[in-house]
Amino acid sequence: MLKALEGSQAIAQAVASCRPQVVAAYPITPQTHIVENIAKLVANGKMHCEMVSVESEFSAASVVLGAACAGSRTYTASASQGILLMAEVLYNIAGMRIPMVMTCANRAVSAPISIWNDQQDSMAVRDAGWIQLYCADNQDAVDTTIQAYRIAERTELPVMVCVDGFTLTHTLEPIDIPEQAMVDQFLPAFNFKRALNPAQPTSMGTLVSPDFFPEARYSHHQALLHAADEIVAADADWAKISGRASGGLLSIDGPDDAKIGILTLGSVYGTLVEAREEYPDLPATKIINLRAFRPFPVAALCEACQGLTDLIVLERALSPGYGGIVAPEVQASLTSVHAATRVHSFAVGLGGRDIPLEIYRKLHRRIQLEEPAPFTIIDVELERLPVEDYGVE
Amino acid sequence: MIEVRIHGRGGQGNVVAAYLLATAAFTEGWYAQAFPAFGAERRGAPVIAFARLNNKIIRRRCQIVSPDFLIIQDEALLHIPGIINGLKPGGRILLNSVRSSEAFADTLDARVVTLPATQMAKEYLGRPVPNTALLSAFLNLTGLLPQAALEHALEQRFQDKVLEKNLALIEAAAKKVEHNQWQEVANA
């Protein structure tokens, strides 16, 4: 049943419906409301789990790591500096192939301090070996959270559900919270085959000599590549139960014969889809929502980009000293099949700068050049900078 | 689509006001969206919240720069430059003030209606939280939603005495303004 809910409240209810046994988290804006709502559900007896208050994100991640090793279904959530403080543990969780789900309420990273949304935090742990799924709206966040547990437990990989901070976490909108029976039907009880067991003692995360390290990395990499199938399957199976699909690895909105594409991750998708209606005179445009960033869906992306002369990648984070983070991967993926497609890379909305509908027209204007413009922060206002800082753009 | 921008100060329930408005609209079958434009929250600091109501799904997530209506929870905020910027031509302003609407005619002309919402909240709730009184007046001025929709939204958020006091407050607040005075703007 649809209810008017704040995104964080809905995510908390979705987590509860997955029946995690251990939740540990440390509050940080804009993740706080998710964990507060979970704490409330536990206090009111509507959720039965061990809720562990910790003194830092490092401990939060460590607690769920330990609990998952012992065979519990676990959950944590963080953002920004919290994700960075967890970083060491995040690599361990993934390297030990521990299934678990966390929400990253995407927020910019300091300095300067910003509590607002971009995706620098999850991009900073891109290579930790987690599956990363980005949510376009709050319904997607609910459905993806539920799917994430099945994906994690079938692949023995952790899943980071990336939800734009404030833009989604603090937005109230109509959201359907699935019936408990539907979730139970979709998600069987967690049975971790490698769970620690005193009857058969094992060590996890031990020292691995050069004799085996590349093999460990190889199998982890393969597991992530194969996870693509589980992501697609989880979405398809959840759609059979709930009637809603989240797009699998990516979704495409717009005419098949469009020559221009815009690729996004996260909640800017809806703004672009409505912006396209506001500017009907601009050339037909496909809007591609990249849901799975890790594993990176090369084949699906090549298929989605068929026939495009121009693909604009909207970056929500930045690799200073190079530029966009997503576009180089997109370009490399397309090289073999669509070498003629011009890939443009623009960052937008860094540190929560509003992304207005007009951005759509601006993007269309910027790709009219003969040669693709180099990476740029498209909404930067240079006149706000001292003169000596121009130039390099 | 109806777009409302709510200005207030931390502690006045700006975000709750936007959430209540969207929830009330949702209970009447509208699509609705509400969200804050936070700074780091602290009591007394200027805060903005937004609400959109539409008869179809709302997918945009940008801030509201040209609202149909402004609700201003503290008249001192009028001193902040640009606070009424972007208000659509013909748009209307509901202002929390003990002064009459005419007192603001010089600066805000006929667009403004005032309500002594803080005073009323103190009387009915014992606390200076003007948001629910303003929302009730807003609904009565626009005729957008029946009062019952706001009552339902309040019932989802508050209980017992707090709920009872708020229900009494919104009933009184609605009577302070002219029913459907802004109906044409709301239906435009």
Side-chain angles (χ1 to χ4, degrees):
Chain A
M1 194 176 74
L2 279 175
K3 284 184 189 166
L5 293 171
E6 187 199 24
S8 296
Q9 207 182 356
I11 291 166
Q13 291 183 24
V15 169
S17 75
C18 295
R19 304 183 189 277
Q21 292 148 301
V22 177
V23 174
Y26 187 80
I28 181 168
T29 301
Q31 155 264 37
T32 318
H33 290 189
I34 300 173
V35 182
E36 279 177 1
N37 275 291
I38 289 177
K40 243 183 239 173
L41 289 168
V42 173
N44 292 340
K46 291 180 178 159
M47 185 176 171
H48 305 286
C49 75
E50 190 79 26
M51 175 101 197
V52 186
S53 292
V54 287
E55 90 302 343
S56 74
E57 288 88 355
F58 189 94
S59 290
S62 300
V63 165
V64 286
L65 166 61
C69 287
S72 296
R73 182 175 285 162
T74 61
Y75 175 79
T76 188
S78 195
S80 187
Q81 314 306 124
I83 296 284
L84 298 191
L85 189 53
M86 281 184 177
E88 181 188 337
V89 190
L90 296 182
Y91 269 76
N92 273 297
I93 290 167
M96 290 162 72
R97 302 284 308 276
I98 303 300
M100 71 164 64
V101 173
M102 78 171 291
T103 304
C104 175
N106 284 109
R107 163 181 157 181
V109 171
S110 304
I113 295 177
S114 166
I115 59 166
W116 293 276
N117 165 244
D118 65 30
Q119 296 169 349
Q120 195 73 41
D121 48 5
S122 54
M123 286 291 160
V125 292
R126 175 191 69 176
D127 299 332
W130 284 56
I131 292 171
Q132 282 195 359
L133 303 176
Y134 287 78
C135 300
D137 56 38
N138 277 316
Q139 188 63 62
D140 197 8
V142 164
D143 293 332
T144 299
T145 300
I146 295 164
Q147 292 178 26
Y149 276 101
R150 199 184 88 163
I151 297 163
E153 289 166 14
R154 287 202 182 181
T155 58
E156 296 196 350
L157 286 167
V159 181
M160 184 177 292
V161 179
C162 301
V163 180
D164 282 327
F166 289 116
T167 324
L168 294 181
T169 56
H170 287 55
T171 292
L172 177 133
E173 57 189 357
I175 306 168
D176 175 56
I177 303 296
E179 299 289 329
Q180 184 63 54
M182 289 160 67
V183 181
D184 289 343
Q185 183 192 343
F186 177 75
L187 187 64
F190 181 36
N191 176 21
F192 187 31
K193 292 186 193 67
R194 290 184 288 117
L196 292 170
N197 175 0
Q200 288 176 302
T202 52
S203 294
M204 297 170 91
T206 53
L207 180 78
V208 165
S209 72
D211 290 341
F212 281 104
F213 196 84
E215 285 72 25
R217 276 287 180 264
Y218 178 85
S219 70
H220 185 182
H221 175 51
Q222 290 301 315
L224 265 155
L225 293 177
H226 289 141
D229 294 338
E230 284 296 344
I231 294 168
V232 172
D235 195 35
D237 289 346
W238 180 240
K240 281 179 208 154
I241 295 173
S242 69
R244 279 188 308 270
S246 293
L249 300 168
L250 55 81
S251 53
I252 308 161
D253 188 302
D256 284 343
D257 58 352
K259 298 282 182 235
I260 295 172
I262 305 177
L263 180 139
T264 74
L265 292 80
S267 65
V268 68
Y269 181 63
T271 302
L272 290 172
V273 170
E274 284 203 3
R276 191 176 48 194
E277 294 168 15
E278 295 281 317
Y279 299 101
D281 297 338
L282 290 171
T285 304
K286 259 189 219 180
I287 301 171
I288 302 168
N289 179 38
L290 191 69
R291 181 173 181 242
F293 181 59
R294 284 292 179 273
F296 195 76
V298 176
L301 188 63
C302 287
E303 204 185 321
C305 293
Q306 261 175 11
L308 293 183
T309 58
D310 291 272
L311 176 64
I312 301 162
V313 178
L314 268 195
E315 312 272 1
R316 303 296 324 283
L318 172 68
S319 176
Y322 181 75
I325 297 170
V326 182
E329 298 192 2
V330 170
Q331 183 135 38
S333 304
L334 297 185
T335 300
S336 58
V337 278
H338 309 304
T341 305
R342 306 192 314 169
V343 177
H344 311 263
S345 177
F346 301 118
V348 69
L350 298 180
R353 176 155 301 176
D354 190 40
I355 305 175
L357 296 179
E358 293 81 47
I359 200 75
Y360 183 79
R361 190 176 53 187
K362 203 169 180 181
L363 291 169
H364 273 272
R365 268 200 203 133
R366 288 298 277 266
I367 62 168
Q368 299 305 320
L369 307 167
E370 290 273 313
E371 289 298 315
F375 166 83
T376 187
I377 299 173
I378 197 163
D379 47 5
V380 71
E381 294 179 13
L382 290 176
E383 63 276 16
R384 295 182 171 198
L385 290 167
V387 175
E388 58 270 27
D389 285 354
Y390 283 30
V392 278
E393 251 296 316
Chain B
M1 181 158 64
I2 308 272
E3 294 188 307
V4 184
R5 196 170 70 203
I6 302 170
H7 293 267
R9 295 184 180 278
Q12 287 187 311
N14 299 279
V15 184
V16 170
Y19 282 7
L20 283 169
L21 178 56
T23 305
F26 172 76
T27 62
E28 287 294 308
W30 294 66
Y31 285 95
Q33 180 195 61
F35 57 102
F38 272 122
E41 304 94 311
R42 58 222 183 274
R43 215 156 264 268
V47 176
I48 305 172
F50 307 97
R52 290 191 171 101
L53 321 182
N54 205 355
N55 54 11
K56 59 175 192 170
I57 191 163
I58 302 162
R59 304 184 70 178
R60 68 186 65 183
R61 301 197 177 271
C62 40
Q63 296 184 358
I64 294 172
V65 289
S66 47
D68 302 278
F69 297 101
L70 286 171
I71 299 175
I72 301 177
Q73 302 217 66
D74 178 353
E75 68 172 284
L77 291 172
L78 288 173
H79 298 300
I80 297 178
I83 196 154
I84 66 166
N85 278 9
L87 181 65
K88 281 206 183 109
R92 295 288 188 269
I93 304 165
L94 178 58
L95 177 64
N96 177 15
S97 173
V98 290
R99 295 196 278 163
S100 69
S101 306
E102 291 72 33
F104 295 89
D106 285 353
T107 46
L108 303 174
D109 59 54
R111 293 173 294 179
V112 70
V113 167
T114 58
L115 181 81
T118 301
Q119 200 179 58
M120 294 184 75
K122 278 185 186 164
E123 184 186 334
Y124 282 83
L125 309 178
R127 292 181 61 207
V129 188
N131 60 353
T132 54
L134 286 163
L135 274 183
S136 175
F138 176 74
L139 295 186
N140 202 29
L141 283 162
T142 56
L144 274 173
L145 306 169
Q147 289 289 319
L150 180 59
E151 289 169 14
H152 287 149
L154 286 167
E155 281 161 10
Q156 287 174 40
R157 188 167 278 270
F158 302 111
Q159 287 160 355
D160 305 329
K161 281 222 167 115
V162 179
L163 176 63
E164 280 167 35
K165 288 175 180 177
N166 270 289
L167 292 177
L169 171 59
I170 65 167
E171 196 187 336
K175 288 178 187 153
K176 293 261 184 190
V177 295
E178 187 185 328
H179 183 55
N180 284 350
Q181 187 183 337
W182 290 351
Q183 192 180 25
E184 271 176 39
V185 185
N187 293 341

